[in-house]
Amino acid sequence: MKNLLNEFPLLAVPENGKRLVYLDNGATTQRPFAVLNAVEEYYKKNNANPHRGVYDLAMRATDAHEGARAVVAGFLNAEPDEIIFTQNTSEGLNLVAYSYGLEFLKAGDEIALSVAEHHSNLVPWQRVAKATGAKLVYLYPGADGRLTKEEISAKIGPNTKVVAVAQVSNVLGLAVPIAEIVRRAHEMGAVVVLDCAQSTPHMQVDVKALDVDFAAFSGHKLYAPMGVGALYGKKELLEKMPPFLSGGDMIASVHEQSTTYAPVPRKFEAGTRNVGGEVGLAAAIQWLTALGWDEIEAHEQALMQHALAGFAKLPYITVYGDAAPQGRYGVISFNVEGVHPHDVATILDADGVAVRAGHHCAQPLMEYLGINACCRASFAVYNTIADVDQLLESVQKVRGCMGFGDQ
Amino acid sequence: MGINDLYNQIIVENSRSPHHRHAVGGATISLEGVNPSCGDDITLQLRVKDGIVQEAGFTGEGCAISQASTSLMIDLIEGKTVEEANQLAGLFFGMIKGEVTGEDELDALGDAVALQGVSHMPSRVKCAVLAWHTLQDALGEQA
Ligand SMILES: Cc1ncc(COP(=O)(O)O)c(C=O)c1O
């Protein structure tokens, strides 16, 4: 991978007097000039309220909005009218939970989800379960953090109506066997809702090949601005679902006592949209995919292997989930024996190394793993082997700093 | 400020020290304090009689800052009146906010002054103040 650091203005600024080693990409990435400039261009040259004006400028804004939708559709191998712009993954998952879950689930139905789900793909389903009388059924990974075929067959059954899973866990970094899950779910007549927040930055996601029914992701984890994301839904499902939010722009016609809705996807896009963000998202997708997926995966895999090999030499480090790098994308969660993750993160920060510490919005998984919290190093295309070396060097200072005499 | 000034000997030792980690016999109040964003979670127990904090203890988990702060706080408040304990909490908040910096003024905080470094670390302030907020809430409920 060519050196990308000079394309990211924020990464050029020192942190605590040191070069910034930004390893919290699972939370949000930094943005390249390609994205920042595209957003600025839009506001300088093309900004108006799309769909609301007949003048030329409004047409250009509409083109920017619909052009971005086409780019997102291409990115996921979907049709443009199957792409709904959202604020983020959370909004996409909530849309499916309320417009699909509340509408089509009833008492006795089951919603199957992994215990590793981010709260965004868990709390909305808890609310749907409460409102409809449906039951939440959890899939538990094995000791290696991976879901087995047996667990998939055991938990997805004839009463399952929705299967909601993250393609890649934001804590374990492991990809779920999605082909297996989709096959079983469809055999049982359930729809599959895929949380792609942590997969889209690291692998090509083809919703047609996967045959998932819904897929949600966030722009900000994918080098795009905050406040924009997208939801894919199969058209026949989107068409039979009621709107999520309602109001301006999502209607065909409104009378005193009744309304007909716009066709999908506009039925699900109430109010003025974040067109600047959408333009930034399209630019980010174009920037990322121009690097080439093979190259991206090979580079991130090399970072991962280097980090895992380094951690394996440190007896006081526990890595969560199968420490083999196969099927692991972008994320390594770990703990340092005897030291609370927040203290680890503070000590790393003093060296300019930014990692996240906490429960990572996955408290049921923390409980399942028997821990309160952990540290997470997460990688992006611009990270380098030197970044991983700095992480490994700094992590070796932690126990000494906390008064353990083993170094 | 270097990282070893934050994690100085007093903090490191007190973060692991077991001497106040216990339930309190005849406790008159028990209150849980939680930092939901980071998972620090302590339960503070007090036995308050005749307006005096006779004994205090805690259980729970959290980072070194939160655990050391709790332990150092208990060192300080045992044997104090409720009013004195509340005043110490106010003084501690003043130190952490960076509003009270004079050595003489902070003298009453004893070893808890070792946490002064946190005043330069906004991300860790909530860890340092958790026990003290829990104390104030507990004493308020007691009253
Ligand atoms: C797996 C997963 N799902 C959902 C989310 C929620 O994303 P957002 O906060 O952008 O809505 C995240 C990230 O925070 C995530 O990692």
Side-chain angles (χ1 to χ4, degrees), chain A residues 310-374:
Chain A
F311 277 156
K313 290 190 198 128
L314 306 174
Y316 46 80
I317 299 265
T318 304
V319 169
Y320 298 100
D322 195 347
Q326 291 78 23
R328 185 186 268 278
Y329 293 88
V331 170
I332 302 178
S333 291
F334 64 97
N335 268 321
V336 177
E337 192 185 333
V339 185
H340 192 278
H342 282 104
D343 298 314
V344 176
T346 294
I347 295 166
L348 295 183
D349 184 43
D351 279 350
V353 179
V355 300
R356 176 134 180 236
H359 54 58
H360 312 288
C361 302
Q363 285 182 333
L365 177 63
M366 295 293 116
E367 224 165 272
Y368 182 67
L369 293 171
I371 56 179
N372 285 319
C374 58

Side-chain angles (χ1 to χ4, degrees), chain A residues 236-309:
Chain A
E236 67 268 24
L237 293 174
L238 293 177
E239 279 177 341
K240 67 175 194 177
M241 287 156 57
F244 177 44
L245 302 177
S246 45
D249 292 323
M250 50 75 71
I251 53 95
S253 67
V254 179
H255 309 283
E256 279 190 13
Q257 304 294 338
S258 67
T259 294
T260 51
Y261 303 124
V264 295
R266 286 181 62 197
K267 179 171 81 174
F268 293 102
E269 293 181 348
T272 300
R273 313 305 300 175
N274 177 7
V275 183
E278 294 161 7
V279 167
L281 176 56
I285 288 170
Q286 285 164 338
W287 176 84
L288 181 68
T289 50
L291 297 173
W293 281 115
D294 288 347
E295 185 136 356
I296 294 166
E297 284 202 36
H299 175 65
E300 293 184 347
Q301 194 66 13
L303 298 175
M304 192 75 71
Q305 287 188 13
H306 193 58
L308 288 168

Side-chain angles (χ1 to χ4, degrees), chain A residues 338-340 342-347 349-350 357-359 363 372-373 400-404, chain B residues 3-4 6-7 12 15-16 36-40 61-65 121 123-124 126-127:
Chain A
V339 185
H340 192 278
H342 282 104
D343 298 314
V344 176
T346 294
I347 295 166
D349 184 43
H359 54 58
Q363 285 182 333
N372 285 319
C401 199
M402 294 306 292
F404 292 95
Chain B
I3 196 71
N4 292 319
L6 178 67
Y7 292 108
V12 166
S15 72
R16 289 202 285 272
S37 64
C38 66
D40 294 333
E61 286 210 46
C63 65
I65 309 278
M121 303 212 61
S123 67
R124 302 308 297 276
K126 63 187 185 311
C127 313

Side-chain angles (χ1 to χ4, degrees), chain A residues 39-61:
Chain A
V39 176
E40 193 179 325
E41 279 280 303
Y42 169 76
Y43 282 115
K44 278 184 175 165
K45 295 189 180 153
N46 298 319
N47 179 54
N49 205 322
H51 302 308
R52 286 191 187 170
V54 290
Y55 46 94
D56 185 58
L57 183 61
M59 287 313 297
R60 294 211 297 280

Side-chain angles (χ1 to χ4, degrees), chain A residues 26 88-91 93 118 120 166 168 170 195 197-198 218 220-221:
Chain A
N88 50 34
T89 307
S90 301
E91 189 189 334
L93 296 169
H118 188 282
S120 289
V168 171
N170 66 312
D195 171 351
Q198 297 292 343
S218 299
H220 70 93
K221 296 180 194 287

Side-chain angles (χ1 to χ4, degrees), chain A residues 75-77 204-212:
Chain A
F75 180 60
L76 297 179
N77 190 26
Q204 187 157 24
V205 176
D206 179 332
V207 291
K208 288 232 172 77
L210 294 172
D211 196 25
V212 292

